[in-house]
Amino acid sequence: MEIKKYTYRETSRFSRLINDYLDADEKLSGLYKYPIQSSSIRELIADRNSNQPNRELLLDLLIEQYQKLTKLSKVEHNISALKHASTFCITSAHQPLLFGGPMYFIYKIISSIKLAAQLNIEYPDNHFVPLFWLGGEDHDFPEVNHAHLFAGTLRWEPPNNTGPVGRMSMASLAPVLKEFNKIIQGSEYATELISLFSGAYSPTNHKNFNEATRIWLHALFGKYGLLIFDADDKRMKAAFVDVMKRDLFQRDTSKLMQDTLQLLSHDYKVQANPRDINLFYMKTDMRERIVYHQATDRYKILNTTITFSKTELQTELENYPQRFSPNVILRPLYQEKILPNLVFIGGAGELSYWLELKALFDAHDIAYPMLVLRDSFTIVTKEIAKKFDALKIPWNSVFKESDAMIKEVLLNQNADSWQLIKEKECLKDLYSAIKQKASEIDKSLKGATEGALNRSMKELENLEYKIMKALKQRRSIDIQRLETVKKALFPANILQERKHNFSMYYARYGDQLIAMLMDAANPLEKRFKLLIEA
């Protein structure tokens, strides 16, 4: 694979906030603590040593969650290492997704594994563990119930999809799995893929979506020592009760974030806004917002008949902390409260709302991690690379819109045949002379002459467009090549990683896909990468 690297700003696919953060723009300096560089690790370790989580509880829970999985030496070593104060996590997170999800899901994990490996070399006195937070408490089922595979889309439609996605039974997935096997059949690594997901998604082996996701992630990444952690647990939630209690009863989260949001809103789009209460009430088949009604002095669970007085809700929280689920604002605090984490690796959207939260972390005396943008790749198969090379334009042109790319192709090969640049200059010179003569006779004719020039220029531009259109028809093969390239690399005009399912690429490359991505990954490099198959 040939690797071509670009700044994220060059791709025109990332927000100004993220580009400015990566460039260490001074106006954002108060929103984070640690620059994106490995030298920040020493300070991170010092800060974490004064803010340690309950390592014994974390160790117990991981041992429990890995009981049914195949024992792998690197995983066992990393779990055991977490009992030591010198061991820290490098964390990424996402809710479970079907059949590997869009490629960005995998890129998160690859980034955390690679950074942990790099830090283990650079800081041999410490140990760094890649950890994936399995966010199964999320209840946005439409975000996780589908997979875009080649030309089609698979959809999972269970009879009840209203609760946290990680707790959903796998029983209703059988017909979707059967369709998946049919689509993949015939590809080079079909046998491996079918085995991977058939074993993971069997309802007899794994009772819910979180457990199923852990099994295939362990099969793919266990040899790299990746730990997959599910924090949907009563004991872990008990360690977060103090934060949840403050959010429920002081309801000051919005106030704590106010200055940050005001600063951001001047120049950027605010990614996530806090609510009066930033917790959901959660059971197996429900996850609904908690709201406070001042008129009745009671707390209501939306879309239900459940209500609590303050005393009742406090008792419920203390006795059943697992029934309370943090929203997008509080989830990062939950993560950092219970993990010995130094670095959070996330996508652009995630980092955008994490940058809103430092004041909230400070108020709750929770260590704020270094924020690192995960690696982003676009995979260019040799068939697509061949089509692109035939266009005879540079690779960075691929980030342009299709119309701009078409113009570049035509300009590159037919510059003198369709662009009327010289003619426009001659026309301007002609009308300049006419305007001079006309003004000498009557100054009021100056405006009329300029109007005539504008109309003539418009006619030339229309003619130029018609010439370009004729060239497009003549060069229809190049235009078709370009459209094929854009569809492969930017399906639906979005990044490939946000559309194409992991299984599409594993079906082509097998386990070599993971090795290839691992080799190319380097999240601290802060570069978008094209991986071009030779």
Side-chain angles (χ1 to χ4, degrees):
M1 283 278 183
E2 179 185 2
I3 304 174
K4 291 189 179 292
K5 303 175 184 179
Y6 305 92
T7 66
Y8 285 91
R9 199 180 294 275
E10 282 180 281
T11 71
S12 302
R13 298 281 171 166
F14 293 80
S15 71
R16 190 154 59 92
L17 174 61
I18 289 302
N19 287 321
D20 287 351
Y21 173 62
L22 295 178
D23 291 342
D25 191 299
E26 182 62 30
K27 64 177 173 286
L28 297 176
S29 61
L31 304 187
Y32 60 93
K33 188 170 183 180
Y34 310 101
I36 311 170
Q37 54 197 34
S38 60
S39 59
S40 297
I41 294 298
R42 291 231 179 270
E43 187 181 355
L44 276 156
I45 290 172
D47 285 353
R48 253 303 174 187
N49 283 335
S50 63
N51 199 320
Q52 289 277 359
N54 186 335
R55 288 177 178 266
E56 186 177 341
L57 175 59
L58 176 62
L59 191 68
D60 288 346
L61 191 54
L62 279 167
I63 291 171
E64 187 179 299
Q65 291 181 2
Y66 272 84
Q67 275 183 348
K68 296 179 182 178
L69 298 184
T70 304
K71 303 295 182 187
L72 296 175
S73 59
K74 285 192 175 181
V75 169
E76 297 296 303
H77 172 69
N78 281 345
I79 291 175
S80 178
L82 281 170
K83 65 188 173 189
H84 302 299
S86 58
T87 297
F88 301 95
C89 298
I90 307 298
T91 301
S92 56
H94 207 277
Q95 62 263 57
L97 295 172
L98 276 181
F99 304 112
M103 285 297 287
Y104 70 80
F105 182 87
I106 300 299
Y107 297 162
K108 287 183 177 185
I109 294 168
I110 295 285
S111 298
S112 60
I113 293 173
K114 187 63 176 282
L115 182 55
Q118 290 170 333
L119 294 176
N120 277 323
I121 294 170
E122 193 168 345
Y123 294 90
D125 293 339
N126 293 95
H127 186 59
F128 303 92
V129 173
L131 183 141
F132 183 71
W133 177 288
L134 199 52
E137 292 185 25
D138 198 306
H139 64 283
D140 188 3
F141 188 67
E143 187 176 337
V144 307
N145 77 330
H146 59 277
H148 298 294
L149 278 169
F150 304 106
T153 300
L154 294 176
R155 292 195 182 277
W156 178 25
E157 301 290 355
N160 183 3
N161 57 20
T162 57
V165 297
R167 296 184 185 181
M168 288 185 179
S169 167
M170 304 307 295
S172 62
L173 192 64
V176 187
L177 182 60
K178 185 177 180 180
E179 187 65 23
F180 172 83
N181 293 347
K182 189 189 302 182
I183 293 171
I184 291 297
Q185 197 69 50
S187 60
E188 188 171 354
Y189 293 95
T191 302
E192 291 87 338
L193 269 175
I194 290 170
S195 174
L196 178 70
F197 290 116
S198 293
Y201 290 158
S202 168
T204 57
N205 294 338
H206 313 290
K207 65 182 181 180
N208 63 38
F209 200 14
N210 259 10
E211 290 184 6
T213 302
R214 183 186 291 110
I215 199 77
W216 69 257
L217 282 176
H218 182 64
L220 284 178
F221 297 107
K223 63 185 175 184
Y224 298 101
L226 178 71
L227 301 186
I228 304 129
F229 179 61
D230 181 2
D232 183 5
D233 182 87
K234 180 177 182 177
R235 292 158 291 180
M236 281 297 176
K237 289 288 178 69
F240 194 58
V241 161
D242 57 338
V243 177
M244 295 194 286
K245 190 177 291 186
R246 178 168 176 173
D247 188 71
L248 284 168
F249 303 121
Q250 292 189 36
R251 300 191 299 282
D252 60 353
T253 298
S254 292
K255 184 179 179 180
L256 293 169
M257 294 175 62
Q258 183 178 340
D259 289 346
T260 300
L261 295 180
Q262 189 172 357
L263 184 151
L264 282 170
S265 65
H266 285 312
D267 296 295
Y268 310 102
K269 176 186 175 184
V270 171
Q271 185 73 13
N273 284 292
R275 296 186 181 276
D276 184 45
I277 293 175
N278 297 278
L279 292 164
F280 292 93
Y281 189 70
M282 181 175 72
K283 292 186 177 180
T284 299
D285 60 349
M286 65 169 282
R287 185 175 183 254
E288 298 287 351
R289 280 180 54 210
I290 304 170
V291 296
Y292 173 67
H293 288 288
Q294 190 168 6
T296 60
D297 194 25
R298 291 189 70 82
Y299 294 81
K300 178 175 174 56
I301 311 305
L302 287 184
N303 302 312
T304 75
T305 58
I306 304 171
T307 65
F308 296 95
S309 67
K310 179 179 178 180
T311 302
E312 291 167 343
L313 190 62
Q314 192 160 346
T315 301
E316 183 81 357
L317 177 62
E318 290 168 355
N319 292 338
Y320 305 102
Q322 74 276 20
R323 293 180 182 175
F324 295 80
S325 176
N327 71 357
V328 68
I329 298 296
L330 289 189
R331 194 209 67 78
L333 279 79
Y334 180 38
Q335 173 184 300
E336 299 303 314
K337 176 83 171 177
I338 65 175
L339 295 180
N341 189 49
L342 298 184
V343 179
F344 177 68
I345 295 180
E350 289 169 298
L351 264 55
S352 294
Y353 67 76
W354 274 75
L355 285 168
E356 302 172 10
L357 302 177
K358 186 176 178 297
L360 197 57
F361 272 79
D362 292 345
H364 287 280
D365 194 27
I366 298 173
Y368 190 74
M370 180 164 75
L371 304 181
V372 174
L373 183 66
R374 63 165 172 80
D375 277 292
S376 276
F377 305 100
T378 289
I379 298 173
V380 186
T381 65
K382 58 186 176 184
E383 295 87 358
I384 294 299
K386 185 177 179 181
K387 289 181 184 296
F388 187 85
D389 286 339
L391 298 174
K392 295 181 171 55
I393 57 176
W395 272 103
N396 62 351
S397 298
V398 79
F399 300 114
K400 296 178 179 179
E401 295 297 329
S402 293
D403 286 347
M405 283 183 69
I406 290 170
K407 284 184 178 181
E408 186 172 4
V409 169
L410 297 177
L411 177 62
N412 187 52
Q413 299 176 20
N414 305 278
D416 295 331
S417 62
W418 74 275
Q419 282 208 316
L420 303 179
I421 296 174
K422 292 179 181 177
E423 290 79 1
K424 288 178 184 176
E425 289 303 317
C426 288
L427 189 65
K428 286 179 183 176
D429 290 342
L430 175 62
Y431 271 92
S432 179
I434 293 172
K435 183 168 69 173
Q436 181 66 32
K437 282 187 176 184
S439 296
E440 289 173 0
I441 298 168
D442 185 345
K443 289 185 179 181
S444 67
L445 293 174
K446 180 181 176 182
T449 309
E450 290 174 348
L453 171 61
N454 291 336
R455 289 191 295 274
S456 297
M457 290 292 287
K458 188 72 109 175
E459 286 299 319
L460 269 186
E461 287 169 1
N462 289 337
L463 183 58
E464 193 175 61
Y465 172 77
K466 289 175 182 178
I467 294 171
M468 186 180 73
K469 191 174 180 182
L471 275 172
K472 280 186 183 180
Q473 291 173 346
R474 187 187 299 177
R475 303 200 60 82
S476 60
I477 293 176
D478 276 347
I479 303 304
Q480 287 172 9
R481 285 191 185 118
L482 188 149
E483 289 172 349
T484 300
V485 168
K486 288 295 282 188
K487 186 176 180 181
L489 307 187
F490 297 92
N493 201 30
I494 60 175
L495 288 173
Q496 181 192 81
E497 64 184 30
R498 303 206 64 81
K499 182 83 170 178
H500 286 177
N501 187 271
F502 156 78
S503 296
M504 288 175 56
Y505 295 96
Y506 196 90
R508 181 183 180 98
Y509 300 108
D511 208 42
Q512 184 59 31
L513 172 67
I514 307 299
M516 174 182 76
L517 293 171
M518 204 70 72
D519 184 58
N522 184 359
L524 295 186
E525 189 177 32
K526 300 183 285 187
R527 289 294 183 269
F528 185 98
K529 302 176 183 76
L530 293 180
L531 304 183
I532 305 168
E533 186 179 3

